[in-house]
Amino acid sequence: MRRRIDDMPENLNSCPFCHSNSVHRIWDGPRWDYCQECGLYFRNPMPTQQELDTLYESSWTDPEQCTSETGGTSLALARVYANRLLRALGLSSFQGLRILDFGAGRGNMLKALQELGAEVVGVETYGKVYLESQGFEGYEQLSEVVGRFDGIVTIDVVEHLHSPWDTLKTLNVLLKEKGWLYVATGNPLGLNARVNGSNWREAKKAGHLVFPSPRTLEKMLLEAGFLKVERLKWLIRFHRNPVRIILNYGMQMLGVDGELRYLGWK
Ligand SMILES: [Zn+2]
C-alpha cells in the first residue's frame, strides 16, 4: 500500500510495531533487525517510499519477468491454495461470496477464486491496469474499494508493507461480520531462513521490509480486531522430485517451511 514516509532512509532504534528497544541486528546485506519483544524481523533502515515506487513502477513494466514484485503465484498454485482455503473454511464452494484479493499481483488467485464461484475484486497499487486487462475489477488503493467482503486474501503482501499492522486493521473494517481473512507471508523461522541467515533469498529482495514471526502475526491480527486466529499448516507439493516432496511435507508439518499461513475471523 502506498504510504508517504520521509524521503531519506532513517535508522530505527526501536521496533516499528511494538516500539520496544530490545532490537538487535540479525542479518546483513541488507541489514535486518530482530525485535526480541514481539518477534518482528524488519529492514533497518527501511527503503523510502520513493525507492519502493521506483522499484515497483519499473517491475510492472515487465510483470511476467519481475515476479518478486508483481506476484509469484502461478495459476496452478493459486488453484491449490483456493481449494485448501475452501477446506479450511469448511465450504464446498465460494458461490455467492464476495472476496477481495489485496495485493492481487497478476490476478492468478482472483481467477482461481472466481473459478470456484466467488465474485472477486483485486487491489494492486501498481498493477491495476494489468488486472483490468485480465478482465478483473481492480483498484489501486484499499480506500477506493466500495462495500464489504465475506472474505479477503492477501498472499505474500505483508512483507512488502512499512506497517502491515495498520493495513490489517483496514482489512478488518472491509469485512462483513464473521468475515474471514487469509494471510500468507514468508516465514523467518523457517528452515531456509535459519540455515541461510543473511543469505536467505527472501531477506535479499529489495521490496521486502518486514517478516513477522508466528507470534508477531498472531498479535497483529488480534490487535487488528480479529476475534479468532488460526495457523494453517498445509501440505503442498511444490516439486516433482519424491525426496524433495517428503522433505517439504516434513517441514510443512513442523511449521518450518517457507510460508506462514493464517486465517483470522472477524
Ligand atoms: Zn517488536
Side-chain angles (χ1 to χ4, degrees):
M1 196 158 101
R2 193 182 293 244
R3 179 171 161 261
R4 284 286 152 204
I5 60 165
D6 296 332
D7 281 344
M8 285 297 291
E10 211 177 301
N11 267 305
L12 299 169
N13 298 318
S14 59
C15 170
F17 174 45
C18 77
H19 309 296
S20 161
N21 295 320
S22 306
V23 295
H24 64 263
R25 180 189 296 224
I26 189 148
W27 301 321
D28 276 305
R31 174 178 162 174
W32 283 77
D33 282 8
Y34 172 70
C35 173
Q36 275 174 315
E37 185 66 29
C38 74
L40 183 74
Y41 291 72
F42 59 97
R43 279 276 297 277
N44 199 3
M46 292 213 186
T48 64
Q49 191 58 52
Q50 205 171 19
E51 288 168 333
L52 294 170
D53 284 344
T54 307
L55 169 71
Y56 290 115
E57 276 155 18
S58 126
S59 297
W60 275 98
T61 60
D62 193 1
E64 309 296 338
Q65 291 304 315
C66 305
T67 55
S68 287
E69 291 80 37
T70 63
T73 310
S74 67
L75 181 57
L77 211 47
R79 286 179 175 138
V80 173
Y81 294 159
N83 273 293
R84 293 298 166 91
L85 185 56
L86 263 189
R87 250 190 278 171
L89 292 163
L91 299 172
S92 57
S93 92
F94 288 119
Q95 203 73 46
L97 300 190
R98 189 164 186 253
I99 302 180
L100 172 74
D101 186 350
F102 174 60
R106 290 170 299 140
N108 285 331
M109 194 63 185
L110 289 175
K111 187 161 195 326
L113 292 165
Q114 199 175 49
E115 287 173 350
L116 293 169
E119 183 196 323
V120 294
V121 174
V123 171
E124 181 55 66
T125 302
Y126 306 85
K128 176 200 167 190
V129 174
Y130 184 90
L131 284 182
E132 286 177 340
S133 76
Q134 305 294 304
F136 295 112
E137 180 182 343
Y139 297 93
E140 280 183 14
Q141 306 292 335
L142 279 176
S143 57
E144 297 165 5
V145 173
V146 179
R148 300 216 173 181
F149 296 87
D150 299 284
I152 299 178
V153 300
T154 186
I155 299 170
D156 298 333
V157 174
V158 160
E159 60 268 43
H160 292 266
L161 305 175
H162 280 113
S163 52
W165 39 93
D166 292 329
T167 310
L168 291 173
K169 284 180 192 158
T170 308
L171 295 178
N172 183 277
V173 171
L174 283 170
L175 282 173
K176 295 177 186 170
E177 288 307 309
K178 298 189 178 167
W180 48 264
L181 170 75
Y182 169 68
V183 47
T185 181
N187 181 7
L189 300 188
L191 204 56
N192 246 319
R194 286 174 190 245
V195 169
N196 291 306
S198 296
N199 290 319
W200 182 36
R201 201 181 56 174
E202 302 303 316
K204 292 278 187 200
K205 290 183 181 167
H208 287 174
L209 313 181
V210 295
F211 282 110
S213 306
R215 67 183 169 107
T216 328
L217 192 51
E218 283 163 27
K219 185 174 151 78
M220 279 183 202
L221 286 164
L222 292 170
E223 287 186 5
F226 291 91
L227 303 178
K228 197 178 113 190
V229 169
E230 182 193 351
R231 182 167 178 192
L232 305 172
K233 290 185 181 168
W234 289 347
L235 302 185
I236 294 179
R237 213 176 90 173
F238 292 104
H239 313 284
R240 285 174 189 274
N241 177 327
V243 177
R244 291 189 72 181
I245 292 173
I246 291 168
L247 278 176
N248 213 52
Y249 278 4
M251 290 200 286
Q252 288 170 348
M253 271 189 283
L254 294 169
V256 296
D257 58 309
E259 198 79 347
L260 283 182
R261 308 173 199 281
Y262 275 87
L263 256 183
W265 280 271
K266 185 166 175 173

